[in-house]
Amino acid sequence: MFGGMMKSDDVCPALRETADSAYAEIYGIIDDGRKSGAFGGDSTDSIVISAWSAVHGLTMLILGSGKISPSSEQQTHALAQSVCETILTGLRTRD
């Protein structure tokens, strides 16, 4: 999660634990969704990598680059919701 910004040895244990917990949460949601038939895809791992990349990218845009600057917690939540919806529904137009 910290590639390019922090070396793994520089990450405090609490931050690493939080990142690992967030990844495990995403993994569990996607794995449960695949088991129930709600999500498709080649494998849970490949879908989790895509979802984690989107979450990480949004985080880096907000915290690391300043390219996105939500003015409130509600705006941050709305952005995260939008990114998640895009991942869930995909980018293609529907017929």
Side-chain angles (χ1 to χ4, degrees):
M1 171 147 184
F2 309 107
M5 295 250 340
M6 303 170 124
K7 295 180 184 176
S8 351
D9 296 342
D10 295 340
V11 177
C12 75
L15 186 56
R16 177 162 309 287
E17 192 173 305
T18 299
D20 290 346
S21 177
Y23 186 89
E25 186 74 21
I26 290 171
Y27 190 96
I29 290 167
I30 291 170
D31 194 45
D32 288 348
R34 291 190 76 238
K35 288 175 183 171
S36 73
F39 302 143
D42 295 333
S43 71
T44 297
D45 288 333
S46 67
I47 298 168
V48 170
I49 289 169
S50 296
W52 186 250
S53 296
V55 169
H56 179 264
L58 179 60
T59 302
M60 294 306 297
L61 288 170
I62 293 171
L63 298 178
S65 73
K67 293 194 184 290
I68 298 175
S69 300
S71 61
S72 67
E73 186 176 328
Q74 291 79 14
Q75 276 191 336
T76 302
H77 186 270
L79 281 168
Q81 186 72 32
S82 176
V83 168
C84 289
E85 287 295 324
T86 300
I87 289 293
L88 289 173
T89 60
L91 298 173
R92 292 189 194 131
T93 58
R94 305 289 184 235
D95 294 333

